[in-house]
């Protein structure tokens, strides 16, 4: 794909990765992604903001073919999908410097072998004059690494946000069109990447909403020409109300745990509580992550394997713990064969969740009447807790 103009002298460069299906060897990418770099030209100097994943560097190289001179490569974030082609760009332009935050500098050296003498660091609020155009740097730690910064170009009212406010979405559209698919891609991206930093996201939103911004240009997904739309979404997802909803990921080996899950779903629905149920051997983890954004309660269904929690259930517990959703209540449904420590194991894996633990339901083999009654009581408790929070 050729470079595409956003404003006179400002271009999208990069690559749309239509076929990528996994990020970090973990995150599903059902809609692919893009790696957005941007070229900003002033009357005297030119800067490239971020690069792209090195697997697609040939596309950026072709877009830069007619550029004889480049003065700066701004590294907003050291992760390889954006900074991985910096060594190649610096090799192509021997007089160019990499520009980054002080925390990013050692990362560029450690992760990418960038020569120290090629790196300039900038503090929060520093600016570089390109000639009629200014790069003003805004440090934004933890969206989603500690070294992250953004670049604001006040003359054009464009904020380049790197991962922040982005989405994993491969599309031929340069600008967001407002389609529901784009909102879902942005929510999925928030859930998988930004959710662990919800508190810091609110602070960073406050900071950037003090800027006069017409366009948000992230490093994944389409450019957003309605900044209020995406910042409102982020506020809702990071600090908005929880929903009267149970996120119910589970796995079942011979059907007993599934019967428990069936019973809980029926009991919750009859009490007016919504349920998002995920059979873990066939579910997209991104959908589970999206459910965790605003589900007031999480219940994990797990049989035992060799005396411990089924590894698929342990995996989702570990993932939920890493994503740190704002979940208020948590519980476990467990069917075991001859004993085991599945509930204790899962409880031990979710220490980051500041959630009240509701009495788990544990049964041997098939759930019997007393187990089904315990599930009814769990549903009663969940509905009552949601009512207390004003969610019903
Ligand atoms: Fe898109 Fe954190 O890299």
């Amino acid at each position: 794909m050729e470079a595409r103009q956003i404003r006179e002298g400002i271009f999208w460069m990069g690559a749309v990765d239509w076929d990528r299906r996994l990020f970090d060897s973990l995150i599903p990418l059902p809609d692919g992604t893009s790696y957005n770099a941007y070229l900003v030209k002033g009357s005297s100097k030119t800067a490239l903001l971020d690069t792209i994943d090195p697997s697609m560097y040939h596309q950026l190289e072709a877009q830069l073919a007619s550029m004889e001179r480049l003065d700066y490569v701004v590294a907003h974030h050291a992760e390889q999908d954006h900074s991985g082609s910096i060594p190649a760009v610096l090799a192509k332009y021997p007089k160019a410097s990499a520009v980054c935050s002080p925390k990013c500098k050692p990362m560029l050296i450690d992760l990418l072998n960038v020569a120290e003498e090629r790196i300039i660091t900038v503090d929060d609020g520093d600016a570089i004059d390109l000639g009629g155009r200014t790069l003003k740097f805004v440090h934004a730690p933890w969206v989603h690494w500690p070294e992250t910064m953004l670049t604001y170009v006040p003359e054009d009212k464009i904020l380049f946000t790197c991962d922040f406010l982005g989405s994993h979405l491969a599309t031929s559209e340069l600008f967001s069109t407002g389609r529901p698919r784009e909102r879902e891609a942005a929510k999925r991206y928030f859930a998988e990447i930004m959710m662990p930093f919800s508190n810091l996201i609110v602070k960073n939103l406050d900071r950037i909403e003090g800027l006069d911004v017409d366009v948000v240009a992230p490093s994944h997904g389409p450019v957003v020409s309605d900044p209020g739309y995406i910042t409102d979404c982020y506020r809702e997802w990071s600090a908005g109300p929880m929903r009267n909803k149970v996120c119910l990921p589970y796995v079942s080996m011979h059907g007993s745990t599934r019967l428990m899950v069936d019973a809980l779903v029926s009991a919750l629905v009859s009490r007016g509580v919504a349920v998002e149920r995920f059979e873990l051997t066939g579910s997209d983890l991104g959908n589970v992550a999206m459910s965790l954004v605003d589900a007031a309660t999480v219940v994990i269904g797990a049989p035992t394997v060799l005396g411990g929690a089924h590894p698929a259930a342990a995996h989702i517990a570990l993932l939920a713990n890493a994503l740190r959703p704002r979940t208020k209540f948590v519980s476990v449904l467990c069917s075991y064969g001859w004993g085991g420590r599945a509930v204790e194991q899962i409880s031990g894996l979710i220490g980051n969740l500041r959630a009240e633990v509701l009495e788990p339901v544990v049964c041997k083999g098939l759930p019997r009447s007393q187990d089904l009654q315990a599930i009814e009581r769990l549903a009663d408790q969940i509905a009552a807790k949601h009512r207390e929070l004003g969610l019903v």
Side-chain angles (χ1 to χ4, degrees):
M1 197 177 286
E2 293 181 351
R4 304 168 83 180
Q5 182 165 291
I6 295 175
R7 293 268 201 277
E8 186 182 349
I10 299 182
F11 298 86
W12 173 91
M13 289 187 171
V16 178
D17 199 340
W18 301 93
D19 299 336
R20 188 164 180 175
R21 288 292 171 267
L22 205 57
F23 195 84
D24 288 345
S25 299
L26 172 67
I27 297 170
L29 300 179
D31 302 311
T33 190
S34 65
Y35 317 109
N36 305 335
Y38 299 94
L39 192 75
V40 181
K41 290 181 173 179
S43 60
S44 57
K45 295 190 172 174
T46 299
L48 182 67
L49 309 188
D50 290 321
T51 63
I52 67 173
D53 192 276
S55 63
M56 303 187 92
Y57 173 65
H58 58 285
Q59 295 200 27
L60 180 61
E61 188 177 32
Q63 291 158 350
L64 289 168
S66 62
M67 288 289 305
E68 290 182 3
R69 172 180 166 173
L70 187 72
D71 299 283
Y72 305 109
V73 188
V74 174
H76 289 127
H77 170 35
E79 195 163 8
Q80 289 84 343
D81 53 326
H82 310 294
S83 288
S85 294
I86 284 180
V89 172
L90 290 179
K92 180 177 171 64
Y93 298 100
K95 292 184 179 173
S97 298
V99 178
C100 66
S101 70
K103 280 188 181 163
C104 188
K105 180 176 176 178
M107 293 184 179
L108 294 184
I109 295 169
D110 292 341
L111 301 181
L112 298 165
N113 273 331
V114 176
E116 186 172 2
E117 61 272 18
R118 301 290 302 271
I119 303 174
I120 299 170
T121 60
V122 288
D123 290 325
D124 184 45
D126 281 357
I128 290 178
D129 181 9
L130 301 178
R133 237 175 207 136
T134 313
L135 304 180
K136 191 169 181 185
F137 302 107
V138 180
H139 285 197
W142 298 112
V143 292
H144 64 125
W145 280 17
E147 87 300 13
T148 309
M149 68 176 191
L150 324 177
T151 296
Y152 178 53
V153 178
E155 293 84 356
D156 300 277
K157 301 182 182 178
I158 301 180
L159 183 65
F160 297 91
T161 57
C162 198
D163 278 338
F164 193 38
L165 310 176
S167 54
H168 283 311
L169 180 63
T171 170
S172 60
E173 305 284 348
L174 177 58
F175 284 92
S176 168
T177 58
R179 286 194 290 257
R181 179 172 176 239
E182 291 171 358
R183 179 184 162 93
E184 174 153 326
K187 185 174 184 181
R188 167 185 283 267
Y189 183 90
F190 172 90
E192 294 166 336
I193 294 164
M194 297 293 165
M195 185 159 60
F197 312 105
S198 290
N199 291 338
L200 296 161
I201 281 170
V202 172
K203 289 180 184 164
N204 281 307
L205 287 172
D206 290 344
R207 286 202 71 198
I208 67 171
E209 284 177 352
L211 302 172
D212 187 6
V213 177
D214 282 347
V215 172
V216 165
S219 294
H220 296 290
V223 176
V224 180
S225 55
D226 178 6
Y229 168 74
I230 190 67
T231 55
D232 284 351
C233 286
Y234 263 57
R235 278 203 188 278
E236 177 187 332
W237 299 331
S238 58
M242 304 306 284
R243 306 286 175 201
N244 176 29
K245 181 172 82 178
V246 173
C247 173
L248 181 41
Y250 76 99
V251 60
S252 186
M253 294 163 67
H254 301 291
S256 299
T257 303
R258 180 176 291 107
L259 288 172
M260 299 174 80
V261 168
D262 288 345
L264 183 61
V265 170
S266 293
L268 288 168
V269 170
S270 70
R271 289 160 176 79
V273 180
V275 184
E276 290 179 344
R277 166 179 170 158
F278 303 96
E279 196 288 307
L280 287 171
T281 65
S283 289
D284 177 331
L285 293 180
N287 289 333
V288 182
M290 279 194 284
S291 179
L292 291 172
V293 169
D294 54 10
T297 297
V298 175
V299 179
I300 296 175
T304 54
V305 175
L306 301 174
H310 190 289
H315 179 223
I316 204 69
L318 199 59
L319 189 65
N321 193 58
L323 293 177
R324 296 173 184 254
R326 295 179 296 134
T327 305
K328 302 297 181 192
F329 311 103
V330 64
S331 192
V332 178
L333 301 178
C334 174
S335 168
Y336 66 92
W338 54 87
R341 300 178 55 251
V343 171
E344 292 88 337
Q345 281 184 343
I346 289 173
S347 299
L349 291 172
I350 54 175
N352 287 343
L353 272 57
R354 293 182 193 158
E356 179 182 345
V357 178
L358 306 181
E359 183 67 29
V361 180
V362 180
C363 72
K364 185 172 185 181
L366 291 165
R368 295 186 164 73
S369 63
Q370 69 272 19
D371 307 310
L372 296 173
Q373 287 166 15
I375 289 171
E376 293 283 333
R377 289 195 296 277
L378 176 60
D380 276 339
Q381 202 177 11
I382 291 169
K385 293 286 183 183
H386 287 196
R387 271 196 303 277
E388 283 170 20
L389 288 181
L391 305 180
V392 179

